[in-house]
Amino acid sequence: MLLGGLVPVLMPVAAAAEDGDEPVRFTAAIMNEVDSFNPFLGIEVESYEMWALTYDFLVDLAVDDLAVEPSLATEWETSEDGLTWTFTIRDDVTWSDGEPLTADDLAFTYGRVLGKGPERATWGSWLAGVEEVTAPDPTTLVLELKRPNAVLPLVPIPIVPEHVWSEVDGEEMKTFAAEPTGGQPVVGSGPFRLVEGTAGGSTYRFEANEDYWKGAPHVDELVFRVFKSEDPAVQALIKGEVDYVEGISALQVKSLEGQDGILARNAASPGFDEIAFNAGSIDLETGEPIGDPNPAVLDPDFRYALGFAVDRQRLVDTVYQGAGSAGSTIVPPFYEEYHWEPPAEELAYDPDRAAELLDEAGYTLGDDGRRTLPDGSPIGTLRLFARVDSATSTDVMTYFSEWLADLGIDSEVTTVESSKLTDIILEGTFDAFEWGWFVDADPTSMLSYMTCDQLGAWSDSWYCDEEYDALFEQQGAELDHETRVGQIHRMQEIVFRDAPYLLTVYNSTGQAVRSDRFACLQAQPSPDGLWLFQQGTHSYRSMRPADEAGDCDGATDATEASGGGGSDDGGIGTGVLVGGGVALVLLLAGGTLVALRRRGTAEDRE
Amino acid sequence: MSLPAAADPGVGAALEPPAATGRPRGYGRYALGKVAGSLASLGFVLVVNFFLFRVLPGDPARTLGRGRFTTDEQLDAFNETYGLDQPLPQQFLTFLGNTLTGDLGVSLRYRVPVSELIWDRLWPTLMLVGTATLFAALIGIWLGVHAAWRRGGPLDRISTSASLTVYSMPEWWLGLLLIAALSVGIGPLPGLFPTGGLRSVDADPSSLAGVLDTAWHLTLPVFTLTLAYLADYALVMRSSLLDEIGEDYLTTARAKGLRDKVVRNRHAVPNALLPTTTVVALNFGFVVAGAITVETVFSIPGLGLLATEALEVPDYWVLQGVFLVASAAVIVANLAANLLYGLLDPRVRT
């Protein structure tokens, strides 16, 4: 009651903010904090999103198909040997403090990454092979390479202003926050400016950059609010406290479907989950086997055969509640050009085919109904590991275990923490586990995890294949795009047939927006991709209030399917309603108390 | 519910020489013993924390860098930057030296000094858990007193069953129910409170409006926690007052012709308050540890949440810092309770 009494006093504060000529504010609920606003330190995807709003990049990725398109660099050329890249840099870009942005800022930023310290840890791999970066004049940037790098010109490193960051030395960089200080926004060149927010904080506020060189955004402010649990975030969307929710579960998406004025869906995202086998854990010094993988999982034929026993569509439908799609190879179809799709018959759920292939490979059924190794000894029990911090991992492995049992193979599922699983993987004391990867805009990192070089590092299946490694080297230096795509396709084919990974599901991200308030968000890639948390800031620049949508200036409107229209905004509403509600609560509480007292005294009298 | 024994940390007691005589010792010596004990506990916590968290599985560079650090070089650069490449004894010495000079290190995840991070997260936790503990204690004691005094009466029956019911509900579930009912609104009831967070975007935290805005945001979470904590105090108070009710001195007081209210407030309650004081003192010590589930449901950036999330990395420095502060709070609260006891009841000093 004490608390209830505060409400009428407080309500006017919030209600007042609703009146008048308010700036257009887009409020997004996110599920995780920004770990650093310093683009050389942060690691979380939320941080990447904030940097993209604040800074620009050498090149962008198109909203429709993720193709490389000009940004700060308007054009570029490569020397015959692929060792010299020359970029022409725009001359009409200024930093938010008025200084011009020149090629020197790019050279400075890349120079920091080529140096030592956290800059290198975060971004070093994107400048692989780069020896020197120079800016011979303000509109020219030159990269000199030791060996050709096929990933160029894609360098997703945010460009920071030299005149601010040159004062941050190596030691300071470790904790340099790059946050607004003394009421001054962070100096950047991007479409928005961070005016409020700290790493690990729970609210981040951006103001539009009216002079942005790609055109002023159509909203005045962006606010990100961190919610630590999903239910309240969805409630806040329904109530109208936020306009957008990122990263909700498939169940929540279902519950929001059909709500007036809200569009919710599972957007395709660039990640996958897989069942990974121990393809041969070894001691890196001696090359001797370590751990105790079952001989069966070391055999590619055995692993490939099990692929037919995995009912991927069933996993999508039951375990993932329909969010996502059946997985196939390690480069998701999100990156359509790079993705290689295996023949449909090799992806089919066909337990009979699995049994047939196992028989052919020598894993025949014994008298006890269990399969044996080719030498006739029992396979024993396969140790399958799932992750406790994933909602789907244990269910997937339980299904897998049942499918194995149907084939006559025993297994047991153990659920552990991800960090514990990392240790188990490095020790090689497992037969299979369930995990997943997020795949970069260039498939190089994903492809690298399957190379012999990554054994004991990021390789979690201990897979190692000479042909694959040779192709990895070739594609990394191949300057002819078509040829490179062909090599990348072949690499996926090799991994698919050797089957260190059985891909289960391509992930999706649950996203929901108040389509009665905002329109003109774009999907990357179109039409099933992400509304926000894209490569680049496409949606932030195209979004606008629903009543000003028009034709979105020709941009595709991925949110136009909305039933739209005029639902009550349900926000902190009229004072009458509020006051009435509070009065009601107080009356009820007071009444109960009085009644209790009365009865109390009545009983005393008896 | 015999909690008074818990007020003695045990560590402190073990360090004291066995009393050679049956004579009560002076208060100064008693207090000194307790302070020394508390310091020893703190030192113990400091050492244990370091090694406890190193035993956790996982590697910060690998957890944070999964899918980002694609080369060994990147992993090494990270470990070198944050001193994780040093041998463990070396790290321990650095840690001891730094802690003694007040430097709690740098968070591996947020890359800001741990002391700043803890300071930022301390206030939300204090406001949430501290206020709730205070309300729960005041209301709980009031309920307990009145329930015991009219044992079996309507208030007793209602408050005992209601507080037990709420006590057995998970806090987060209670929070979600309150959000659905009071924040989003049900039927004709409008959404009165925000769904989470500490303040509105426009509110200036230093102005009066800003303070009121924060209070408005904290209403539901504090209400949730107060309900959850209430039973603790109400039941302890009720049972200890019931113990007193049959005592002769109350009969004497009544025989003197004192009014019922005076008998209760002046005679019975003061004697029954001791166990409750212990519970309150101890629980205030735990305030700093936060309320993880309620912080999660209402998205309040408190210390509880900070520690839970640091475990995933594991963010050694944050974990050490938070545990140090939380243990220190409990030890200090315990010490305070002990010192208070020594004053209130000289028998404890023996």
Side-chain angles (χ1 to χ4, degrees), chain B residues 28-54:
Chain B
R29 204 167 149 209
Y30 166 81
L32 213 64
K34 292 295 176 199
V35 171
S38 298
L39 282 178
S41 307
L42 208 57
F44 180 72
V45 165
L46 201 67
V47 175
V48 166
N49 274 356
F50 182 86
F51 291 101
L52 184 69
F53 296 126
R54 303 298 152 144

Side-chain angles (χ1 to χ4, degrees), chain B residues 210-236:
Chain B
V211 173
L212 288 178
D213 178 70
T214 301
W216 180 50
H217 276 79
L218 277 171
T219 307
L220 274 193
V222 167
F223 186 50
T224 309
L225 261 188
T226 308
L227 282 183
Y229 289 168
L230 199 58
D232 217 355
Y233 303 101
L235 294 180
V236 171

Side-chain angles (χ1 to χ4, degrees), chain A residues 2-3 6-7 9-11 13-14 17 22 25 32-36 40-41 43-45 48 116-118 120-125 174-176 196 199-200 202-203 205 223 225-229 231-232 235-236 238-239 241 419-420 422-423 426 435-438 440 445 448-449 454 456-458 460 572 577-578 581-582 585 596-597 599-600 603-604, chain B residues 56-59 61-75 77-78 80-82 106 109-113 117 120-121 135 142 150 152-155 157-158 176 179-180 182-184 188-202 209 212-213 215-216 219 222-223 226 295-301 305 309 312-314:
Chain A
L2 254 180
L3 307 171
L6 277 173
V7 176
V9 186
L10 299 171
M11 291 310 288
V13 179
E22 277 292 293
R25 173 187 293 160
N32 200 6
E33 290 97 351
V34 166
D35 58 347
S36 180
F40 297 115
L41 296 184
I43 278 158
E44 308 279 349
V45 287
Y48 279 63
K116 281 196 155 195
R120 186 179 197 105
T122 311
W123 295 113
S125 54
K174 283 194 220 172
T175 57
F176 187 69
E196 196 186 318
S202 45
T203 312
R205 191 161 65 90
V223 171
R225 266 180 67 184
V226 181
F227 279 80
K228 298 314 291 186
S229 58
D231 245 345
Q235 302 281 16
I238 295 172
K239 184 183 173 189
E241 267 183 46
S419 44
K420 175 73 184 161
T422 306
D423 291 350
L426 287 173
W435 210 329
W437 288 102
F438 178 89
D440 278 328
S445 347
S448 78
Y449 301 142
Q454 290 283 344
W458 292 109
D460 50 5
I572 357 178
L577 261 181
V578 172
V582 172
V585 171
L596 278 174
R597 289 221 145 190
R599 205 181 303 158
E603 265 176 32
D604 286 345
Chain B
L56 284 178
D59 171 356
R62 284 182 165 276
T63 315
L64 294 172
R66 190 176 158 83
R68 310 279 180 203
F69 299 173
T70 48
T71 61
D72 277 354
E73 209 185 14
Q74 285 175 301
L75 278 178
F78 180 90
E80 195 189 323
T81 310
Y82 296 97
V106 172
R109 178 157 178 233
Y110 297 114
R111 323 289 179 96
V112 291
L117 208 54
D120 284 348
R121 301 293 192 101
F135 281 155
W142 187 90
R150 296 238 182 284
L155 180 71
R157 275 181 278 137
I158 294 174
L176 282 180
I179 288 181
L182 295 176
S183 179
V184 181
L189 196 67
L192 293 177
F193 298 99
T195 47
L198 260 187
R199 60 185 186 85
S200 305
V201 178
D202 302 296
L212 288 178
D213 178 70
W216 180 50
T219 307
V222 167
F223 186 50
T226 308
E295 283 175 14
T296 308
V297 170
F298 289 99
S299 305
I300 292 174
L305 213 49
E309 289 179 349
E312 291 163 13
V313 175

Side-chain angles (χ1 to χ4, degrees), chain A residues 126-209:
Chain A
W126 287 99
L127 291 178
V130 175
E131 204 162 27
E132 204 189 359
V133 191
T134 50
D137 65 70
T139 57
T140 310
L141 180 79
V142 180
L143 300 188
E144 299 282 355
L145 282 74
K146 284 185 293 228
R147 51 175 197 277
N149 178 347
V151 182
L152 289 174
L154 180 60
V155 187
I157 306 178
I159 303 303
V160 299
E162 181 179 14
H163 63 280
V164 175
W165 290 73
S166 57
E167 288 159 27
V168 183
D169 68 25
E171 190 56 32
E172 276 174 80
M173 182 61 97
K174 283 194 220 172
T175 57
F176 187 69
E179 288 161 7
T181 43
Q184 289 299 307
V186 170
V187 178
S189 62
F192 288 88
R193 282 159 191 171
L194 179 67
V195 288
E196 196 186 318
T198 54
S202 45
T203 312
Y204 319 115
R205 191 161 65 90
F206 288 84
E207 277 174 10
N209 174 2

Side-chain angles (χ1 to χ4, degrees), chain A residues 49-270:
Chain A
E49 193 78 345
M50 306 302 141
W51 307 332
L53 291 167
T54 313
Y55 304 101
D56 278 304
F57 302 89
L58 184 67
V59 293
D60 278 342
L61 293 174
V63 72
D64 294 338
D65 58 358
L66 293 139
V68 170
E69 59 182 22
S71 182
L72 288 179
T74 51
E75 53 190 49
W76 47 87
E77 52 190 47
T78 321
S79 66
E80 200 67 17
D81 57 6
L83 295 180
T84 308
W85 286 71
T86 310
F87 296 87
T88 308
I89 306 298
R90 301 188 72 93
D91 59 3
D92 59 350
V93 183
T94 51
W95 296 105
S96 53
D97 59 359
E99 297 278 326
L101 185 155
T102 66
D104 287 312
D105 292 303
L106 285 106
F108 169 77
T109 305
Y110 295 166
R112 290 299 282 250
V113 173
L114 292 176
K116 281 196 155 195
E119 300 98 311
R120 186 179 197 105
T122 311
W123 295 113
S125 54
W126 287 99
L127 291 178
V130 175
E131 204 162 27
E132 204 189 359
V133 191
T134 50
D137 65 70
T139 57
T140 310
L141 180 79
V142 180
L143 300 188
E144 299 282 355
L145 282 74
K146 284 185 293 228
R147 51 175 197 277
N149 178 347
V151 182
L152 289 174
L154 180 60
V155 187
I157 306 178
I159 303 303
V160 299
E162 181 179 14
H163 63 280
V164 175
W165 290 73
S166 57
E167 288 159 27
V168 183
D169 68 25
E171 190 56 32
E172 276 174 80
M173 182 61 97
K174 283 194 220 172
T175 57
F176 187 69
E179 288 161 7
T181 43
Q184 289 299 307
V186 170
V187 178
S189 62
F192 288 88
R193 282 159 191 171
L194 179 67
V195 288
E196 196 186 318
T198 54
S202 45
T203 312
Y204 319 115
R205 191 161 65 90
F206 288 84
E207 277 174 10
N209 174 2
E210 299 300 334
D211 306 318
Y212 189 51
W213 59 274
K214 286 180 195 165
H218 305 282
V219 296
D220 303 308
E221 275 191 10
L222 288 178
V223 171
F224 294 89
R225 266 180 67 184
V226 181
F227 279 80
K228 298 314 291 186
S229 58
E230 206 181 295
D231 245 345
V234 171
Q235 302 281 16
L237 182 78
I238 295 172
K239 184 183 173 189
E241 267 183 46
V242 300
D243 305 305
Y244 179 92
V245 184
E246 169 79 21
I248 54 175
S249 71
L251 282 176
Q252 296 283 14
V253 169
K254 268 187 197 153
S255 79
L256 285 173
E257 278 166 5
Q259 282 261 12
D260 256 358
I262 293 178
L263 268 189
R265 60 174 195 155
N266 296 304
S269 72

